[in-house]
Amino acid sequence: MDWIYEPWPWYVSGPLIALTMALLILVGKRFGMSTNLETFCSLGGAGKRISYFDIDIKSRKWGLLVVLGAVIGGFLAANFLTEDSSVHIASSTVAELNTLGFDSAGSAYLPTELFGEMIWSDTKALIILLVGGFLVGFGARYARGCTSGHSISGISNLQIPSIIATIGFFLGGLFMVHFLFPLIF
Amino acid sequence: MKNLSYLLIGVFFGIVMFKSEAASWFRIYEMFQFDSFHMYGIMGSALVLGAVLLQFIKGSGTKSFFGEIIVIEEKKKSFWRYAIGGVVFGLGWALAGACPGPIYVLLGAGFWPIVIVFFGAILGALCYGALRSKLPH
C-alpha cells in the first residue's frame, strides 16, 4: 500500500477522474466545477442587481457539497496520504523555472514564490494570484465550463463546443507561459 | 443520503486531484512546456474512459442510483463564447496554475494564498454575469 503515499501516475489518476464523472452522472448530476463560482455570487446577493445570478440556490446545493468534499479531500490527501509533497517535474522544466526566478521548482507542491507564507506582503504576487483567478472565473463562465465540464465531460460526450473551448484553454495557456511569463516574472 | 453521496464524491475527487498532482502549479507549467506526458496522460485517459462510460450509461438506459432518468445535457452550439472564453480561461489557468476544481482542493491542503485566486475567480464570474449582454456569444 506504499504506492498510495507516492504521487499517483497518470494511468491511475485519469481513470479515477473518469470514475468521478461517471459517479456524478449516476447520482443524477454532472461533472462541472465552475458553475459553483456563480452559485457563490448568488449566495452573496448578486441576484438582486444582476438577473443572471437570480437563481434558485437550492438547485445548486449539490455542487456546493461536492466542493466542500473537495476541500476535505485536499485536506486528507495532503495531511494523511502524502509523505513528500514535492512535485518531481522534468529537469528541463526545473531549469526553465529557475531562469524565471522560481527556486522552489522540483522541491515543493506549489511555488513558494506565489503560494508561500511571505506572499502576503508581496504586492506583485498578490496581484498575479488575483488576476489569474479573475481570468479563470471570467473565462470559465464565458465559455460555460472549465476543464471538468468541457475537457473531460464535454469531449467524452463528443461535444464540438467543448473541443473549441479546450483548444482555447491550451492556446491561452501556451500564450501565457511562452510569451507573457518572460514579461511577468 | 443524496447529500452524503455528493459530499463523498467530492472527497474522492479532491484526493485524486491532489495525489495526481493535477492541482500543482508546476504540473500545469510543465504541461504547457510539453516537458512531460503526465497531464496529457491524465486528461487523455480520463476522456477515453469517460467516453466509454458515457456511451454505456446512455446506451443501456441506466437510471441513476436514486431511480431518476439520466439526462446528459448537450452543449449549446456556438463559437465565440467557447473560443474567447476558452482563451481567457487558459491565460488564467497557466498564471494561477489552478482550474476551479483544484482551487478547493488546495484550500483544503492548507495553501492559504489560494484564497486570493478563489476571490479573483468569484470576481471574474461576477463580472461575466454583469457584462454578458455586451459580450459576443
Side-chain angles (χ1 to χ4, degrees):
Chain A
M1 285 295 279
D2 283 348
W3 63 269
I4 213 158
Y5 299 100
E6 302 289 323
W8 296 357
W10 64 264
Y11 50 83
V12 172
S13 309
L16 292 181
I17 291 170
L19 181 63
T20 306
M21 177 183 75
L23 284 171
L24 280 168
I25 289 170
L26 288 172
V27 294
K29 302 300 173 193
R30 64 201 147 71
F31 185 41
M33 290 294 145
S34 68
T35 312
N36 295 301
L37 296 172
E38 289 181 359
T39 312
F40 285 114
C41 293
S42 301
L43 277 174
K48 289 192 193 103
R49 295 214 165 176
I50 306 163
S51 61
Y52 181 65
F53 296 109
D54 189 11
I55 48 125
D56 175 19
I57 291 173
K58 266 191 191 162
S59 68
R60 297 274 182 85
K61 197 178 85 179
W62 71 270
L64 296 179
L65 284 164
V66 174
V67 156
L68 176 64
V71 174
I72 298 169
F75 173 81
L76 295 176
N79 291 289
F80 302 108
L81 299 174
T82 306
E83 276 164 1
D84 173 13
S85 70
S86 55
V87 177
H88 299 287
I89 46 175
S91 52
S92 52
T93 314
V94 173
E96 195 70 40
L97 282 167
N98 287 342
T99 63
L100 287 174
F102 288 94
D103 296 328
S104 57
S107 59
Y109 194 85
L110 297 181
T112 52
E113 291 79 0
L114 286 175
F115 294 92
E117 280 165 22
M118 316 78 65
I119 77 114
W120 299 106
S121 52
D122 181 346
T123 315
K124 187 182 166 188
L126 292 174
I127 291 172
I128 288 171
L129 295 180
L130 188 68
V131 171
F134 184 91
L135 295 170
V136 163
F138 188 92
R141 292 330 298 157
Y142 195 173
R144 241 173 165 253
C146 58
T147 2
S148 54
H150 279 308
S151 309
I152 309 292
S153 314
I155 298 186
S156 287
N157 197 25
L158 313 174
Q159 301 288 298
I160 304 282
S162 297
I163 296 174
I164 300 170
T166 301
I167 292 172
F169 297 165
F170 276 86
L171 288 179
L174 289 170
F175 186 78
M176 175 57 73
V177 161
H178 293 276
F179 294 96
L180 299 181
F181 266 30
L183 303 174
I184 297 172
F185 297 108
Chain B
M1 187 61 206
K2 278 188 179 181
N3 289 339
L4 186 65
S5 73
Y6 307 143
L7 186 74
L8 290 178
I9 294 171
V11 173
F12 179 72
F13 176 65
I15 293 174
V16 174
M17 278 285 122
F18 189 87
K19 292 305 300 178
S20 67
E21 300 179 338
S24 167
W25 187 99
F26 290 122
R27 284 292 186 196
I28 309 301
Y29 180 84
E30 182 190 48
M31 169 179 76
F32 287 127
Q33 289 286 351
F34 301 105
D35 281 345
S36 164
F37 182 69
H38 187 74
M39 290 300 298
Y40 296 98
I42 290 179
M43 287 202 260
S45 60
L47 67 89
V48 169
L49 183 64
V52 172
L53 291 170
L54 275 186
Q55 286 309 314
F56 178 77
I57 292 171
K58 286 204 280 191
S60 64
T62 308
K63 287 200 173 156
S64 83
F65 293 150
F66 308 114
E68 305 140 330
I69 292 167
I70 290 175
V71 185
I72 299 170
E73 245 178 84
E74 305 271 307
K75 308 275 180 192
K76 288 195 188 77
K77 289 209 167 49
S78 150
F79 178 76
W80 292 112
R81 74 172 307 161
Y82 300 113
I84 306 172
V87 169
V88 172
F89 175 84
L91 291 166
W93 188 20
L95 186 60
C99 39
I103 287 176
Y104 306 109
V105 178
L106 293 170
L107 191 65
F111 294 100
W112 305 122
I114 202 72
V115 171
I116 309 283
V117 179
F118 181 46
F119 179 71
I122 292 179
L123 210 61
L126 188 66
C127 282
Y128 167 70
L131 297 174
R132 64 191 294 268
S133 60
K134 296 180 181 69
L135 298 168
H137 287 76

